[in-house]
Amino acid sequence: MALAPTATLGPSLDLSPEHEMIRQTAREFAQKEIAPIAAHFDETGEFPAETIRKMGALGLMGIEIPEEYGGAGLDTLSYVLALEEICKADAAHGTIMSVNNSLFCYGVYRFGSEAQKQKHLRAVASGKAIGAYSLTEPMSGSDAGTMRSRAVREGDVYVINGRKSWVTSAPVAEYIVLFSMTDPDRQHRGITAFLIDTKLPGFVLGKKEPKLGIRASATSEIVFEDYRCPAECRLGEEGEGFKIAMSVLDAGRIGIASQALGIAEAAYEASLAYAREREAFGQKIGQFQGIGFKLADMKTRIEASRLLIYQAALAKQRSKETGSRFTLEACMAKLFASETAMFCAHAAVQIHGGLGYSKELPVERYFRDAKITEIYEGTSEIQRMVIARQELGIK
Ligand code: CAA
């Protein structure tokens, strides 16, 4: 990708020429390289290593990370624009990109030591290695503070034991940001973050998750069996893990919102084209109010999602200067965009009728891929809970 200098939205809501160029570059790559292979990788569930490698070479795997640490040195708006375009072609590629950028690179850049940035961040932001993030456990999903995995300090290492679930990219990741309990008596304040090297003994891949959608992204359980993590690979201080996990999820949720927007747009554009072309009862089906109203609702929700995502991206960008939180903006963008993706994918299948249910078109894939955006990185119920707490001033 010919990378442009950083810029932000101007006084109007129009994108700057630099941002337009980034969007166009990502769109061309996604439509040329990813869209033609998306159905194959969805069907087989294989990991699309070759296109992910090319995305790394284009600077898409560490968009906001400064060039000195292997990234592209761009801003958050560039990130959401590029991610939306990738997801419009294939949400599974988008999941891999989003986790790499938001859940791994952002966390290591913000909380890592210089040595960790040079080693772990540089490799992952440049796309030479893949990064993952592991918070969830079999008995600890939405209630993330109740994890049972243990990390016990023994001299210069932490000995880690336990099982983690639903780890995006775990089967292909070289490094994983892991959250584990170092002091169970302190509950969420006893959680610590670590940078795990998956090549070290004691790291074991668990069962691969057979998923409804985003099937080309590799997801599995991971198991720690007396894994010895060097103390210099602790991310942040002991007990800071929960706050790191939540701050990183704020960034991650903007990524998932952009993914949802990409899926929604793909579903909408397919529906619009079909409504213009398909005839029934002597007219184009778009001329029926039942179809037209669906298209109107899809378009309106898509544009509203976009504004929430841009607002969240600008809030995150500002936070780089001010350190302010962007939790509210990120949760609102994810909540609305993910429900929009599901709404649009559902409508798209209905508009296409039998064809929408067929694997001959990508519409059924949009439907399956959309659902995860309402679940991972915090369900819609969790987003509503966080938004309400923020507004009520409870947290
Ligand atoms: N930024 C910084 N700090 C934060 C924070 C944020 N966004 N949110 C909470 N905190 C802090 C609070 O200030 C509080 O600090 P103190 O200890 O000083 O009081 C502390 O964290 C605990 O906060 P809460 O009391 O609000 O915690 P809670 O137990 O009520 O839980 C929750 C809050 C929002 C429900 C949280 O548990 C949550 O987000 N759950 C969902 C987890 C999730 O999204 N999981 C998905 C994992 S990733 C994934 O999907 C897989 C993948 O690979 C993509």
Side-chain angles (χ1 to χ4, degrees):
M1 183 189 276
L3 295 170
T6 301
T8 55
L9 278 177
S12 79
L13 288 171
D14 293 340
L15 293 178
S16 67
E18 293 93 335
H19 285 116
E20 281 293 0
M21 195 194 78
I22 287 160
R23 173 151 74 181
Q24 194 54 34
T25 308
R27 179 177 295 168
E28 279 165 20
F29 174 79
Q31 292 306 319
K32 181 162 167 268
E33 303 272 348
I34 299 177
I37 60 166
H40 167 79
F41 283 92
D42 171 60
E43 185 70 28
T44 61
E46 284 167 43
F47 185 79
E50 184 54 21
T51 32
I52 294 297
R53 191 193 58 73
K54 287 183 184 171
M55 284 164 63
L58 277 177
L60 294 173
M61 297 306 272
I63 294 183
E64 294 179 74
I65 300 303
E67 289 170 275
E68 59 183 305
Y69 299 121
L74 295 173
D75 64 359
T76 312
L77 199 52
S78 305
Y79 170 52
V80 300
L81 291 168
L83 185 51
E84 175 193 332
E85 291 301 330
I86 299 297
C87 295
K88 216 165 145 179
D90 180 35
H93 278 79
T95 299
I96 302 158
M97 175 177 162
S98 176
V99 167
N100 208 81
N101 275 273
S102 303
L103 295 191
F104 188 91
C105 291
Y106 174 75
V108 181
Y109 180 62
R110 183 158 163 206
F111 298 102
S113 66
E114 183 57 28
Q116 290 168 346
K117 287 180 194 168
Q118 289 298 346
K119 182 182 171 192
H120 305 88
L121 181 59
R122 176 177 284 284
V124 174
S126 62
K128 294 193 174 70
I130 288 177
Y133 170 102
S134 175
L135 177 69
T136 305
E137 296 187 358
M139 293 307 292
S140 162
S142 291
D143 193 2
T146 56
M147 61 182 62
R148 294 180 184 177
S149 67
R150 289 295 312 274
V152 179
R153 178 110 192 207
E154 283 183 13
D156 287 346
V157 298
Y158 287 86
V159 181
I160 303 179
N161 281 286
R163 181 178 291 269
K164 309 290 283 189
S165 353
W166 290 107
V167 187
T168 301
S169 294
V172 291
E174 195 156 322
Y175 301 119
I176 300 178
V177 173
L178 171 80
F179 301 91
S180 189
M181 193 65 89
T182 42
D183 187 352
D185 292 342
R186 300 194 69 224
Q187 298 166 331
H188 73 265
R189 291 184 183 136
I191 293 171
T192 301
F194 299 95
L195 277 164
I196 298 301
D197 183 335
T198 61
K199 299 181 293 309
L200 293 184
F203 175 86
V204 183
L205 277 181
K207 80 172 164 76
K208 194 178 170 205
E209 300 295 351
K211 304 193 299 289
L212 173 72
I214 53 161
R215 287 172 39 75
S217 85
T219 312
S220 76
E221 286 195 333
I222 55 177
V223 184
F224 291 88
E225 295 173 349
D226 289 331
Y227 176 95
R228 295 173 75 79
C229 179
E232 70 259 23
C233 292
R234 189 186 68 216
L235 187 64
E237 297 301 319
E238 265 191 31
E240 277 186 357
F242 193 75
K243 285 198 180 179
I244 294 176
M246 292 299 117
S247 312
V248 169
L249 278 173
D250 286 344
R253 288 167 182 166
I254 300 176
I256 302 307
S258 312
Q259 177 184 44
L261 178 60
I263 299 169
E265 284 192 297
Y268 173 69
E269 286 179 12
S271 302
L272 192 63
Y274 193 66
R276 283 189 176 130
E277 154 205 316
R278 169 78 179 187
E279 290 184 8
F281 304 99
Q283 61 181 13
K284 307 284 184 201
I285 62 167
Q287 290 173 280
F288 289 106
Q289 198 178 54
I291 303 293
F293 278 13
K294 276 193 177 62
L295 293 170
D297 287 343
M298 290 161 90
K299 177 67 177 164
T300 305
R301 291 182 196 208
I302 284 170
E303 294 310 323
S305 300
R306 190 189 310 287
L307 291 177
L308 283 169
I309 291 168
Y310 287 3
Q311 171 179 266
L314 296 186
K316 181 177 170 214
Q317 185 65 32
R318 272 197 307 278
S319 81
K320 293 174 190 171
E321 307 289 325
T322 62
S324 55
R325 270 173 60 173
F326 48 91
T327 307
L328 179 67
E329 291 88 344
C331 286
M332 291 193 302
K334 181 184 184 285
L335 173 64
F336 196 80
S338 61
E339 294 192 346
T340 294
M342 204 57 222
F343 176 86
C344 291
H346 182 269
V349 173
Q350 194 67 18
I351 289 168
H352 284 78
L355 262 185
Y357 201 67
S358 163
K359 288 210 177 265
E360 282 178 26
L361 292 185
V363 174
E364 61 83 33
R365 174 161 56 84
Y366 304 149
F367 184 73
R368 289 184 288 107
D369 288 349
K371 186 61 206 167
I372 192 60
T373 65
E374 293 182 318
I375 298 173
Y376 65 6
E377 301 201 24
T379 60
S380 292
E381 290 76 9
I382 290 293
Q383 308 309 318
R384 287 190 165 87
M385 188 172 114
V386 175
I387 294 164
R389 282 181 178 181
Q390 291 264 320
E391 284 301 281
L392 291 163
I394 294 173
K395 287 283 165 189

